[in-house]
Amino acid sequence: MNTMVPTTSSAAEDEFGLRLAARLSAGNRELPHDIGERLRVARAQAVAARKLPPQLRTAPVVVQSGHSVALGGGWWTRIGSVVPLIALVAGLITISVMQDDDRASELAEVDSALLTGDLPPAAYTDPGFAQFLKADSASD
């Protein structure tokens, strides 16, 4: 029996196979002749199958021709990628318009309070008036 260990990547597997074959062959002498022959043929078939190179398996190729109406088709994909962008821009424009309206209404309230108040608008620019407001708020 050849005990040389091959230097391939599956050297451990081959060594295990050789030891297993030696042990099976040792017990083969005590078996009846017909069972021994069937085992010998089965071993020969296993060795022949082991020596065959593995066949490469390729994935099936799917070829699509023409225009598709499915959701993964050309125009649907383009429309589906543009719709979120349009929604985002519309949302930003809506937020900007609402903030401008709120700011304008706040300024209108301040202007109407200034114009309808008891003090003239020039009083608000007087430095002494600012001191008066500070002193008045401190006393409260």
Side-chain angles (χ1 to χ4, degrees), residues 26-96:
N28 193 18
R29 294 183 195 118
E30 297 148 7
L31 293 174
H33 179 66
D34 60 334
I35 294 176
E37 285 300 312
R38 286 192 308 200
L39 286 174
R40 186 187 60 75
V41 170
R43 276 191 222 127
Q45 288 174 349
V47 169
R50 170 80 167 117
K51 290 183 180 179
L52 292 178
Q55 296 179 357
L56 297 177
R57 293 185 181 180
T58 58
V61 177
V62 177
V63 177
Q64 181 178 3
S65 63
H67 299 288
S68 176
V69 183
L71 192 57
W75 284 105
W76 284 107
T77 304
R78 290 180 186 156
I79 290 172
S81 63
V82 171
V83 168
L85 181 63
I86 292 171
L88 177 67
V89 170
L92 291 175
I93 290 172
T94 303
I95 290 171
S96 176

Side-chain angles (χ1 to χ4, degrees), residues 100-132:
D100 288 344
D101 287 345
D102 288 345
R103 191 174 300 124
S105 65
E106 288 173 0
L107 290 174
E109 285 180 28
V110 170
D111 287 345
S112 65
L114 283 174
L115 293 174
T116 59
D118 295 336
L119 295 173
Y124 292 102
T125 61
D126 185 11
F129 182 70
Q131 291 298 326
F132 170 74

